[in-house]
C-alpha cells in the first residue's frame, strides 16, 4: 500500500511484469492538501526545516540535485500532487477496469466510509460484510517528542544499521523501529491557515490539476478548486 507505485520510474512496468491482472485503488486528495500533508511528514521525520512555502519554492532545485533520490521521496511535494500525469501513466499500462478512483474526503465522513468500503469490495470481487469499525482513524499527523531520538530513527540509518547487526529478521527490526517511533511521537495540530501563507502560483497549480482530472474520475472535485 504505497503511492510510490504510480510515482517511481519503472514501478508500473515491474508490477505488470510480475502480476498478471493487478487492480489499483487510487485515493485522490485535494492536490495542495496532499502536498501539505507530505510536508508535515517530512518535517516530523526531521527531513524538513523550511516553512511550507519555502519548501515549495525550493522543490525544483532539490529535485535537480538528487542522485540518491532522497529529495524525490521526501521533498516532492508538488510533483507528487500532479495527479493527471501520474494517472496517465497508469492508464497507459493498464485497462480502466483495473483502476478504482476514490475521494480522500470520504474517509472523513462516517456514511461515506461505508460506501467506499462497499465500492472496494465490489471492485475486488469480494463478499461484503457489515463488521467494520469505521471510527478508527489511522495515519494522523504527528511530530516527535524528542528530536535526538527522531534523528536516530530517521537520519543516516544509525538505528537500522545497529539492529541489522544483531537481529537478522527484517520484519522484527521493522516492528522495533515502529514501536520506538510510536513512543516518541505525539499528534501534530495542523495549521488551518496554511493556504494563506503560500504563493499564488501553488494555488494555480492545485486548480489546474483539478480541472485536468474532472474528465477522468467519477466523483465531484469542484470543492477542491480554491
Amino acid at each position: 500500500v504505497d503511492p510510490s507505485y504510480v510515482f517511481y520510474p519503472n514501478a508500473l512496468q515491474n508490477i505488470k511484469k510480475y502480476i498478471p491482472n493487478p487492480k489499483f485503488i487510487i485515493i485522490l486528495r485535494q492536490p495542495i492538501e496532499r502536498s501539505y500533508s507530505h510536508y508535515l511528514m517530512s518535517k516530523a521525520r526531521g527531513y524538513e526545516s523550511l516553512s511550507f512555502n519555502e519548501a515549495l519554492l525550493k522543490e525544483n532545485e532539490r529535485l535537480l540535485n538528487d542522485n540518491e533520490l532522497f529529495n524525490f521521496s521526501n521533498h516532492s511535494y508538488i510533483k507528487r500532487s500532479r495527479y493527471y500525469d501520474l494517472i496517465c501513466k497508469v492508464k497507459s499500462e493498464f485497462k480502466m477496469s483495473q483502476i478504482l478512483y476514490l475521494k480522500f474526503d470520504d474517509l472523513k465522513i462516517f456514511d461515506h466510509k461505508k460506501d467506499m468500503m462497499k465500492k472496494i469490495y465490489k471492485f475486488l470481487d469480494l463478499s461484503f460484510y457489515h463488521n467494520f469499525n469505521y471510527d478508527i482513524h489511522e495515519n494522523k499527523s504527528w511530530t516527535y517528542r524528542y528530536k535526538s531520538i527522531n534523528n536516530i530513527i530517521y537520519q543516516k540509518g544509525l538505528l537500522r544499521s545497529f539492529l541489522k547487526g544483531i537481529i537478522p529478521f527484517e520484519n522484527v527490526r521493522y516492528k522495533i523501529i515502529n514501536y520506538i517511533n510510536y513512543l516518541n511521537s505525539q499528534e501534530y495540530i495542523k495549521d488551518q491557515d496554511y493556504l494563506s501563507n503560500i504563493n499564488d502560483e501553488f494555488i494555480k497549480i492545485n486548480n489546474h490539476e483539478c480541472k485536468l482530472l474532472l474528465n477522468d474520475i467519477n466523483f465531484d472535485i469542484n470543492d477542491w478548486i480554491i
Side-chain angles (χ1 to χ4, degrees):
V1 182
D2 193 336
S4 297
Y5 294 149
V6 296
F7 187 60
Y8 270 74
N10 304 320
L12 292 172
Q13 291 89 336
N14 288 335
I15 289 172
K16 191 173 184 179
K17 180 178 178 181
Y18 292 106
I19 304 175
N21 187 33
K23 290 190 174 184
F24 295 88
I25 299 171
I26 301 177
I27 302 177
L28 297 170
R29 188 176 192 173
Q30 183 191 41
I32 194 65
E33 185 183 26
R34 193 224 67 84
S35 298
Y36 184 58
S37 178
H38 188 172
Y39 164 81
L40 291 180
M41 183 177 71
S42 291
K43 195 174 181 67
R45 291 177 173 176
Y47 298 155
E48 184 59 82
S49 58
L50 302 177
S51 71
F52 184 45
N53 191 59
E54 290 170 336
L56 296 184
L57 290 169
K58 197 172 179 63
E59 179 175 331
N60 288 335
E61 179 186 337
R62 283 169 157 173
L63 296 180
L64 281 174
N65 304 293
D66 190 29
N67 296 329
E68 296 182 359
L69 297 182
F70 177 84
N71 294 326
F72 190 77
S73 294
N74 300 291
H75 298 138
S76 51
Y77 309 124
I78 291 294
K79 190 174 180 66
R80 284 190 188 232
S81 293
R82 292 189 180 275
Y83 300 141
Y84 184 75
D85 290 343
L86 301 179
I87 285 174
C88 285
K89 284 170 57 181
V90 181
K91 287 166 59 180
S92 69
E93 298 287 344
F94 302 98
K95 301 174 185 176
M96 287 299 295
S97 60
Q98 293 175 269
I99 308 168
L100 174 65
Y101 300 113
L102 297 173
K103 190 176 184 180
F104 177 85
D105 309 51
D106 290 332
L107 288 169
K108 304 175 185 177
I109 303 170
F110 186 83
D111 289 337
H112 291 196
K113 280 185 183 181
K114 290 184 178 180
D115 292 336
M116 281 185 78
M117 193 65 75
K118 288 177 182 177
K119 287 178 184 177
I120 291 170
Y121 269 66
K122 183 178 180 181
F123 177 64
L124 298 176
D125 297 321
L126 298 172
S127 298
F128 181 78
Y129 298 98
H130 298 271
N131 59 346
F132 297 101
N133 182 356
Y134 295 101
D135 293 323
I136 295 173
H137 181 187
E138 297 290 350
N139 203 26
K140 295 179 181 179
S141 296
W142 60 275
T143 187
Y144 49 79
R145 295 178 186 274
Y146 304 104
K147 187 174 181 180
S148 57
I149 295 176
N150 195 68
N151 289 344
I152 291 172
I153 295 172
Y154 286 108
Q155 293 184 6
K156 300 180 181 179
L158 296 176
L159 180 60
R160 286 172 172 79
S161 298
F162 171 73
L163 290 176
K164 193 172 183 179
I166 60 174
I167 300 174
F169 306 107
E170 184 178 356
N171 62 324
V172 176
R173 297 197 302 267
Y174 179 79
K175 288 180 180 178
I176 291 172
I177 290 171
N178 272 1
Y179 186 65
I180 295 172
N181 188 48
Y182 166 75
L183 294 176
N184 190 48
S185 64
Q186 58 187 348
E187 189 171 355
Y188 181 85
I189 306 302
K190 293 182 180 180
D191 176 11
Q192 300 300 321
D193 199 34
Y194 70 92
L195 289 178
S196 65
N197 297 316
I198 63 173
N199 290 15
D200 287 345
E201 65 181 284
F202 303 120
I203 301 296
K204 290 177 181 177
I205 291 173
N206 174 85
N207 295 345
H208 180 64
E209 280 302 310
C210 292
K211 290 171 184 176
L212 287 174
L213 285 173
L214 283 171
N215 294 326
D216 277 273
I217 55 179
N218 58 355
F219 50 78
D220 183 17
I221 57 169
N222 282 296
D223 56 328
W224 288 357
I225 298 174
I226 303 166

